[in-house]
Amino acid sequence: MITRRTLLIFNFGVAVLFMLVGLLSIYAMNIVRPASGTLEVPPAFSSTVLNSIAEEKDPEKLRSSAVFYYELARDFRKARYAASEGYLYDVRVLSFFVAGLFAIGGLLVLAPARERGGQI
C-alpha cells in the first residue's frame, strides 16, 4: 500500500536527486570552461605567433593562408566551448525544472493531509 510517507519520500527524494544533477552540471561547466582569468592560451594560438606569421615578408600567399587557418582554428575552439556550454545549460535547466515539479508534487501530498487533520 502506498502511504503518505512513501509519497513524500519519493517526491522529495527524486527532487533532491535532480537538484544534485543540476548542481553537478554547474560544477562540470567550471571544468569544461574555466574562468577567463585561469584560461591560458596555448603557444600555438598565442598572439605573438599570429603576429610573426602576419609579418612574414617572403611568401605572400603562404602568409595569407596561415592567417586564414589560424583564425579558423581559433573559431573552432570557441565553437567547441559554446557547444559544450549549451548542452550543460540544457541539462541544468531541465534538471532544476523536474526537481521543481517533484517538489510541488510533494507539497501537494502534504496539502490534503493538513486539511484532514494529518490523515489520508
Coordinates of all heavy atoms in Angstrom, one line a residue, residues 9-68:
I9 N 8.6 10.7 0.6 CA 10.0 10.2 0.4 C 10.3 10.2 -1.1 O 11.3 10.6 -1.5 CB 10.2 8.9 1.1 CG1 10.2 9.1 2.6 CG2 11.6 8.3 0.6 CD1 10.3 7.8 3.4
F10 N 9.4 9.6 -1.9 CA 9.6 9.5 -3.3 C 9.7 10.9 -3.9 O 10.7 11.2 -4.7 CB 8.4 8.7 -4.0 CG 8.6 8.7 -5.5 CD1 9.5 7.9 -6.1 CD2 7.8 9.5 -6.3 CE1 9.6 7.8 -7.5 CE2 7.9 9.5 -7.6 CZ 8.8 8.6 -8.2
N11 N 8.7 11.8 -3.7 CA 8.7 13.1 -4.4 C 9.9 13.9 -4.0 O 10.6 14.5 -4.8 CB 7.4 13.8 -4.1 CG 6.3 13.4 -4.9 OD1 6.5 13.0 -6.1 ND2 5.1 13.3 -4.3
F12 N 10.2 14.0 -2.7 CA 11.3 14.9 -2.2 C 12.6 14.2 -2.5 O 13.6 14.9 -2.8 CB 11.2 15.3 -0.8 CG 10.0 16.3 -0.5 CD1 9.0 16.0 0.3 CD2 10.1 17.5 -1.2 CE1 8.0 16.9 0.5 CE2 9.1 18.4 -1.0 CZ 8.0 18.1 -0.1
G13 N 12.7 12.9 -2.5 CA 13.9 12.2 -2.8 C 14.3 12.4 -4.3 O 15.5 12.7 -4.6
V14 N 13.3 12.3 -5.2 CA 13.6 12.5 -6.6 C 14.0 13.9 -6.9 O 14.8 14.2 -7.7 CB 12.4 12.0 -7.5 CG1 12.6 12.4 -8.9 CG2 12.3 10.5 -7.4
A15 N 13.3 14.9 -6.2 CA 13.6 16.3 -6.3 C 15.1 16.6 -5.9 O 15.8 17.3 -6.5 CB 12.7 17.1 -5.5
V16 N 15.5 15.9 -4.8 CA 16.9 16.1 -4.4 C 17.9 15.5 -5.4 O 18.9 16.1 -5.7 CB 17.1 15.5 -3.0 CG1 18.6 15.4 -2.6 CG2 16.4 16.3 -1.9
L17 N 17.5 14.4 -5.9 CA 18.4 13.8 -7.0 C 18.5 14.7 -8.2 O 19.7 14.9 -8.7 CB 17.9 12.4 -7.4 CG 18.0 11.3 -6.4 CD1 17.4 10.0 -6.9 CD2 19.5 11.1 -6.1
F18 N 17.4 15.3 -8.6 CA 17.5 16.2 -9.8 C 18.2 17.5 -9.5 O 18.9 18.0 -10.3 CB 16.1 16.4 -10.4 CG 15.7 15.4 -11.3 CD1 14.7 14.4 -10.9 CD2 16.2 15.3 -12.6 CE1 14.3 13.4 -11.8 CE2 15.8 14.3 -13.5 CZ 14.9 13.4 -13.1
M19 N 18.1 18.0 -8.2 CA 18.8 19.1 -7.8 C 20.3 18.8 -7.8 O 21.2 19.6 -8.2 CB 18.4 19.6 -6.4 CG 17.0 20.2 -6.4 SD 17.0 21.8 -7.2 CE 17.9 22.8 -6.1
L20 N 20.7 17.6 -7.4 CA 22.1 17.2 -7.4 C 22.6 17.1 -8.8 O 23.8 17.6 -9.1 CB 22.2 15.8 -6.7 CG 23.7 15.3 -6.6 CD1 24.5 16.2 -5.7 CD2 23.6 13.9 -6.0
V21 N 21.8 16.6 -9.8 CA 22.3 16.6 -11.2 C 22.5 18.0 -11.7 O 23.5 18.3 -12.4 CB 21.2 15.9 -12.0 CG1 21.5 16.1 -13.5 CG2 21.2 14.4 -11.7
G22 N 21.6 19.0 -11.3 CA 21.7 20.4 -11.7 C 23.0 21.0 -11.1 O 23.7 21.7 -11.8
L23 N 23.3 20.7 -9.9 CA 24.5 21.3 -9.3 C 25.7 20.7 -9.8 O 26.7 21.4 -10.0 CB 24.4 21.1 -7.7 CG 23.3 21.9 -7.0 CD1 23.3 21.4 -5.5 CD2 23.6 23.3 -7.1
L24 N 25.7 19.4 -10.2 CA 26.9 18.8 -10.8 C 27.1 19.3 -12.2 O 28.2 19.4 -12.7 CB 26.7 17.3 -10.9 CG 26.9 16.5 -9.5 CD1 26.6 15.0 -9.7 CD2 28.3 16.7 -9.0
S25 N 26.0 19.7 -12.9 CA 26.2 20.3 -14.2 C 26.8 21.7 -14.1 O 27.6 22.1 -15.0 CB 24.9 20.4 -15.0 OG 24.0 21.3 -14.4
I26 N 26.5 22.4 -13.0 CA 27.2 23.7 -12.8 C 28.7 23.5 -12.5 O 29.5 24.2 -13.0 CB 26.5 24.5 -11.6 CG1 25.1 24.9 -12.0 CG2 27.4 25.7 -11.2 CD1 24.3 25.5 -10.9
Y27 N 29.0 22.5 -11.7 CA 30.4 22.1 -11.4 C 31.1 21.7 -12.7 O 32.3 22.1 -13.0 CB 30.4 21.0 -10.4 CG 31.8 20.5 -10.1 CD1 32.7 21.3 -9.4 CD2 32.2 19.3 -10.5 CE1 34.0 20.9 -9.1 CE2 33.5 18.8 -10.3 CZ 34.4 19.6 -9.6 OH 35.7 19.2 -9.3
A28 N 30.4 20.9 -13.5 CA 31.1 20.5 -14.8 C 31.3 21.6 -15.7 O 32.3 21.6 -16.5 CB 30.2 19.4 -15.5
M29 N 30.4 22.6 -15.7 CA 30.6 23.8 -16.5 C 32.0 24.5 -16.1 O 32.7 25.0 -17.0 CB 29.5 24.8 -16.3 CG 29.6 26.1 -17.1 SD 29.5 25.9 -18.8 CE 27.8 25.6 -19.0
N30 N 32.3 24.6 -14.9 CA 33.5 25.2 -14.5 C 34.7 24.4 -14.9 O 35.8 24.9 -15.2 CB 33.6 25.4 -12.9 CG 32.6 26.4 -12.5 OD1 32.2 27.3 -13.2 ND2 32.2 26.3 -11.2
I31 N 34.6 23.1 -15.0 CA 35.7 22.2 -15.5 C 35.9 22.4 -17.0 O 37.0 22.5 -17.5 CB 35.4 20.8 -15.1 CG1 35.6 20.6 -13.6 CG2 36.4 19.9 -15.8 CD1 35.2 19.2 -13.1
V32 N 34.7 22.4 -17.8 CA 34.8 22.5 -19.2 C 35.3 23.9 -19.7 O 36.1 24.0 -20.5 CB 33.4 22.2 -19.8 CG1 33.4 22.5 -21.3 CG2 33.1 20.7 -19.6
R33 N 34.7 24.9 -19.0 CA 35.1 26.3 -19.4 C 35.5 27.0 -18.2 O 34.6 27.6 -17.5 CB 33.9 26.9 -20.1 CG 34.3 28.3 -20.6 CD 33.2 28.9 -21.5 NE 33.7 30.1 -22.0 CZ 33.0 30.8 -22.9 NH1 31.9 30.3 -23.4 NH2 33.5 31.9 -23.3
P34 N 36.7 27.0 -17.8 CA 37.2 27.7 -16.6 C 37.0 29.2 -16.8 O 36.8 29.7 -17.9 CB 38.6 27.3 -16.5 CG 39.0 26.7 -17.7 CD 37.8 26.3 -18.5
A35 N 37.1 29.9 -15.7 CA 37.0 31.4 -15.7 C 38.1 32.0 -16.6 O 39.2 31.4 -16.8 CB 37.2 31.9 -14.3
S36 N 37.8 33.1 -17.2 CA 38.7 33.7 -18.2 C 40.1 34.0 -17.6 O 41.1 34.1 -18.3 CB 38.1 35.0 -18.8 OG 37.9 35.9 -17.8
G37 N 40.1 34.3 -16.3 CA 41.4 34.6 -15.7 C 42.3 33.4 -15.5 O 43.5 33.5 -15.5
T38 N 41.7 32.2 -15.5 CA 42.5 31.0 -15.3 C 42.8 30.3 -16.6 O 43.6 29.4 -16.7 CB 41.8 30.0 -14.4 OG1 40.5 29.6 -15.0 CG2 41.6 30.6 -13.0
L39 N 42.2 30.7 -17.7 CA 42.3 30.1 -19.0 C 43.6 30.6 -19.6 O 43.8 31.8 -19.8 CB 41.2 30.4 -19.9 CG 41.1 29.8 -21.3 CD1 41.0 28.3 -21.1 CD2 40.0 30.3 -22.1
E40 N 44.5 29.7 -20.0 CA 45.8 30.1 -20.6 C 45.7 29.8 -22.1 O 45.2 28.8 -22.5 CB 46.9 29.3 -20.0 CG 47.2 29.6 -18.5 CD 48.4 28.8 -18.0 OE1 49.1 28.2 -18.8 OE2 48.5 28.8 -16.7
V41 N 46.3 30.7 -22.9 CA 46.3 30.5 -24.3 C 47.5 29.6 -24.7 O 48.6 29.9 -24.3 CB 46.4 31.8 -25.0 CG1 46.5 31.6 -26.5 CG2 45.3 32.7 -24.6
P42 N 47.2 28.5 -25.4 CA 48.3 27.6 -25.8 C 49.3 28.4 -26.7 O 48.9 29.3 -27.4 CB 47.7 26.5 -26.5 CG 46.2 26.5 -26.2 CD 45.9 27.9 -25.8
P43 N 50.5 27.9 -26.7 CA 51.5 28.7 -27.6 C 51.2 28.7 -29.1 O 51.5 29.6 -29.8 CB 52.8 27.9 -27.4 CG 52.6 27.1 -26.1 CD 51.2 26.9 -25.9
A44 N 50.5 27.6 -29.5 CA 50.1 27.6 -31.0 C 49.1 28.7 -31.3 O 49.0 29.1 -32.5 CB 49.6 26.2 -31.3
F45 N 48.3 29.1 -30.3 CA 47.3 30.1 -30.6 C 47.6 31.5 -30.0 O 46.7 32.3 -29.9 CB 45.9 29.6 -30.0 CG 45.4 28.5 -30.8 CD1 45.3 27.2 -30.2 CD2 44.9 28.6 -32.1 CE1 44.8 26.1 -30.9 CE2 44.4 27.5 -32.8 CZ 44.3 26.3 -32.2
S46 N 48.8 31.7 -29.6 CA 49.1 33.0 -28.9 C 49.2 34.1 -30.0 O 49.4 33.8 -31.2 CB 50.4 32.9 -28.2 OG 51.5 32.7 -29.1
S47 N 49.0 35.3 -29.5 CA 49.0 36.4 -30.5 C 50.4 36.7 -31.0 O 50.5 37.2 -32.1 CB 48.5 37.7 -29.8 OG 49.3 38.0 -28.7
T48 N 51.4 36.3 -30.3 CA 52.8 36.5 -30.9 C 53.1 35.7 -32.1 O 53.7 36.1 -33.0 CB 53.9 36.3 -29.8 OG1 53.7 34.9 -29.3 CG2 53.7 37.2 -28.6
V49 N 52.5 34.4 -32.1 CA 52.7 33.5 -33.2 C 51.9 34.1 -34.4 O 52.4 34.1 -35.5 CB 52.2 32.1 -32.9 CG1 52.2 31.2 -34.1 CG2 53.1 31.5 -31.8
L50 N 50.7 34.6 -34.1 CA 49.9 35.2 -35.2 C 50.6 36.4 -35.8 O 50.6 36.6 -37.0 CB 48.5 35.6 -34.7 CG 47.6 36.3 -35.7 CD1 47.3 35.4 -36.9 CD2 46.3 36.7 -35.0
N51 N 51.2 37.2 -35.0 CA 51.9 38.4 -35.4 C 53.1 38.0 -36.3 O 53.4 38.6 -37.3 CB 52.3 39.3 -34.3 CG 51.1 40.0 -33.7 OD1 50.1 40.1 -34.3 ND2 51.3 40.4 -32.4
S52 N 53.8 37.0 -35.9 CA 55.0 36.6 -36.6 C 54.6 36.0 -38.0 O 55.3 36.2 -39.0 CB 55.9 35.6 -35.8 OG 55.1 34.4 -35.7
I53 N 53.5 35.3 -38.0 CA 53.0 34.8 -39.3 C 52.5 35.9 -40.2 O 52.8 36.0 -41.4 CB 51.9 33.8 -39.1 CG1 52.4 32.5 -38.4 CG2 51.2 33.4 -40.4 CD1 51.4 31.5 -38.0
A54 N 51.8 36.9 -39.6 CA 51.3 38.0 -40.4 C 52.4 38.9 -40.9 O 52.2 39.6 -41.9 CB 50.3 38.8 -39.5
E55 N 53.5 39.0 -40.2 CA 54.6 39.9 -40.6 C 55.6 39.3 -41.5 O 56.6 39.9 -41.9 CB 55.3 40.5 -39.4 CG 54.4 41.4 -38.5 CD 55.1 41.8 -37.2 OE1 56.2 41.3 -36.9 OE2 54.5 42.6 -36.5
E56 N 55.4 38.0 -41.9 CA 56.3 37.3 -42.8 C 56.3 38.0 -44.1 O 55.3 38.3 -44.7 CB 55.8 35.9 -43.0 CG 56.6 35.0 -43.9 CD 58.0 34.7 -43.3 OE1 58.1 34.6 -42.0 OE2 59.0 34.7 -44.0
K57 N 57.5 38.3 -44.6 CA 57.6 39.1 -45.9 C 57.8 38.3 -47.1 O 57.5 38.7 -48.2 CB 58.9 40.1 -45.7 CG 58.8 41.0 -44.6 CD 57.7 42.0 -44.9 CE 57.7 43.0 -43.7 NZ 56.5 43.9 -43.7
D58 N 58.3 37.1 -47.0 CA 58.7 36.3 -48.2 C 57.5 35.9 -49.0 O 57.2 36.4 -50.0 CB 59.6 35.1 -47.8 CG 60.9 35.6 -47.3 OD1 61.3 36.7 -47.6 OD2 61.5 34.8 -46.5
P59 N 56.8 34.8 -48.6 CA 55.7 34.3 -49.5 C 54.4 34.9 -49.1 O 53.8 34.6 -48.0 CB 55.8 32.8 -49.3 CG 56.4 32.6 -48.0 CD 57.2 33.8 -47.7
E60 N 53.8 35.8 -49.9 CA 52.5 36.4 -49.5 C 51.4 35.4 -49.5 O 50.5 35.5 -48.6 CB 52.2 37.5 -50.6 CG 51.0 38.3 -50.3 CD 51.1 39.2 -49.1 OE1 52.2 39.6 -48.7 OE2 50.1 39.4 -48.4
K61 N 51.4 34.5 -50.3 CA 50.3 33.5 -50.4 C 50.3 32.6 -49.1 O 49.3 32.3 -48.5 CB 50.3 32.7 -51.6 CG 49.1 31.8 -51.8 CD 49.2 31.2 -53.2 CE 47.9 30.4 -53.4 NZ 47.8 29.8 -54.7
L62 N 51.5 32.2 -48.7 CA 51.7 31.4 -47.5 C 51.2 32.2 -46.3 O 50.6 31.6 -45.4 CB 53.1 31.0 -47.4 CG 53.5 30.2 -46.1 CD1 52.8 28.8 -46.2 CD2 55.0 30.0 -46.1
R63 N 51.5 33.4 -46.2 CA 51.1 34.2 -45.1 C 49.6 34.4 -45.0 O 49.0 34.2 -43.9 CB 51.8 35.6 -45.1 CG 51.5 36.4 -43.9 CD 52.1 37.8 -44.0 NE 51.2 38.6 -44.9 CZ 51.4 39.8 -45.3 NH1 52.6 40.4 -45.0 NH2 50.5 40.4 -46.0
S64 N 49.0 34.6 -46.1 CA 47.5 34.8 -46.1 C 46.8 33.4 -45.7 O 45.9 33.4 -45.0 CB 47.0 35.3 -47.4 OG 47.3 34.4 -48.4
S65 N 47.4 32.3 -46.2 CA 46.8 31.0 -45.9 C 47.0 30.7 -44.4 O 46.1 30.2 -43.7 CB 47.5 29.9 -46.7 OG 47.2 30.1 -48.0
A66 N 48.2 31.0 -43.9 CA 48.5 30.8 -42.5 C 47.6 31.6 -41.6 O 47.0 31.1 -40.6 CB 49.9 31.0 -42.2
V67 N 47.3 32.8 -41.9 CA 46.4 33.7 -41.1 C 45.0 33.1 -41.1 O 44.3 33.1 -40.1 CB 46.5 35.1 -41.5 CG1 45.4 36.0 -40.9 CG2 47.9 35.7 -41.2
F68 N 44.6 32.7 -42.3 CA 43.2 32.2 -42.5 C 43.1 30.9 -41.6 O 42.1 30.8 -40.9 CB 43.0 31.9 -44.0 CG 41.7 31.1 -44.2 CD1 40.5 31.7 -44.1 CD2 41.8 29.7 -44.5 CE1 39.3 30.9 -44.3 CE2 40.6 29.0 -44.7 CZ 39.4 29.6 -44.6

